[in-house]
Amino acid sequence: MGHPILGEKSRAVTEFGSPALASLIEDMLDTMHALNGAGLAAPQIGVSLRVVIFAVESNPRYPHVEPIPQTILINPEIIPLSDAQESGWEGCLSIPGMRGWVPRYAHVRYSGYTQTGEFFEREVRGFHARVVQHEVDHLDGVLYPLRMPDLTRFGFEQELFPATAVMPE
Ligand code: NI
């Protein structure tokens, strides 16, 4: 947080299936897995392109959430399917050690392109909806604290959740 790229709007991908795009996605997957993240956006590794990835298997950072299939999502669009919002705790690999209580749309449809340029869309709720909104925000220069209406619920993980084992960021 604080690096200029994380505050910028990223550019759309215009060439699919290229070695450069494959290399970017491989770097992103390696980074996300190494840091036990639920998702990652290209600007977080210094590349201002509209590429996000996410996946939740059994993730020690989010022990009580439903799995999300590993997804590579390029040039994404999100449409809320109702006005309803839910708040939940979020972390971000660009804000290590911290958590914030963030409202997000509870039910969304998202769409975008695969690495080879195939269009797809999904209708999702709950944590899956939260993760995709968090990651796509990165492409518009928005970090989760900017979505928080109440900064008293922003703090260090060890202070907010002292009973919880310390988790790698
Ligand atoms: Ni993030």
Side-chain angles (χ1 to χ4, degrees), residues 1-168:
M1 182 165 67
H3 191 289
I5 279 190
L6 290 176
E8 289 172 5
K9 191 169 169 70
S10 299
R11 289 175 288 111
V13 169
T14 54
E15 188 186 352
F16 292 89
S18 69
L21 184 59
S23 168
L24 169 64
I25 290 166
E26 192 180 326
D27 285 350
M28 291 174 66
L29 289 166
D30 286 349
T31 303
M32 180 177 78
H33 291 138
L35 300 177
N36 270 327
L40 192 75
Q44 294 183 274
I45 59 166
V47 177
S48 194
L49 284 173
R50 302 187 79 76
V51 179
V52 303
I53 62 171
F54 43 87
V56 175
E57 293 173 23
S58 58
N59 188 324
R61 277 162 59 87
Y62 301 99
H64 304 298
V65 300
E66 70 269 27
I68 302 172
Q70 180 166 291
T71 301
I72 294 158
L73 177 63
I74 301 175
N75 297 348
E77 304 282 350
I78 299 178
I79 299 171
L81 295 178
S82 91
D83 290 336
Q85 300 205 346
E86 293 171 346
S87 289
W89 291 105
E90 293 188 14
C92 180
L93 297 173
S94 297
I95 313 173
M98 304 198 76
R99 288 286 185 274
W101 184 251
V102 185
R104 299 285 185 184
Y105 290 109
H107 185 198
V108 304
R109 176 181 296 127
Y110 68 87
S111 62
Y113 295 84
T114 66
Q115 188 172 345
T116 50
E118 292 148 275
F119 179 83
F120 69 102
E121 61 183 357
R122 288 184 184 144
E123 184 182 326
V124 299
R125 298 172 188 270
F127 190 67
H128 193 150
R130 173 172 303 281
V131 168
V132 70
Q133 288 169 88
H134 175 117
E135 297 309 330
V136 172
D137 262 356
H138 276 295
L139 307 182
D140 294 318
V142 176
L143 298 178
Y144 74 79
L146 294 172
R147 296 287 189 197
M148 293 181 61
D150 177 2
L151 286 171
T152 68
R153 305 200 79 183
F154 180 46
F156 291 102
E157 188 171 60
Q158 286 160 281
E159 306 296 342
L160 289 164
F161 310 110
T164 311
V166 176
M167 298 178 189

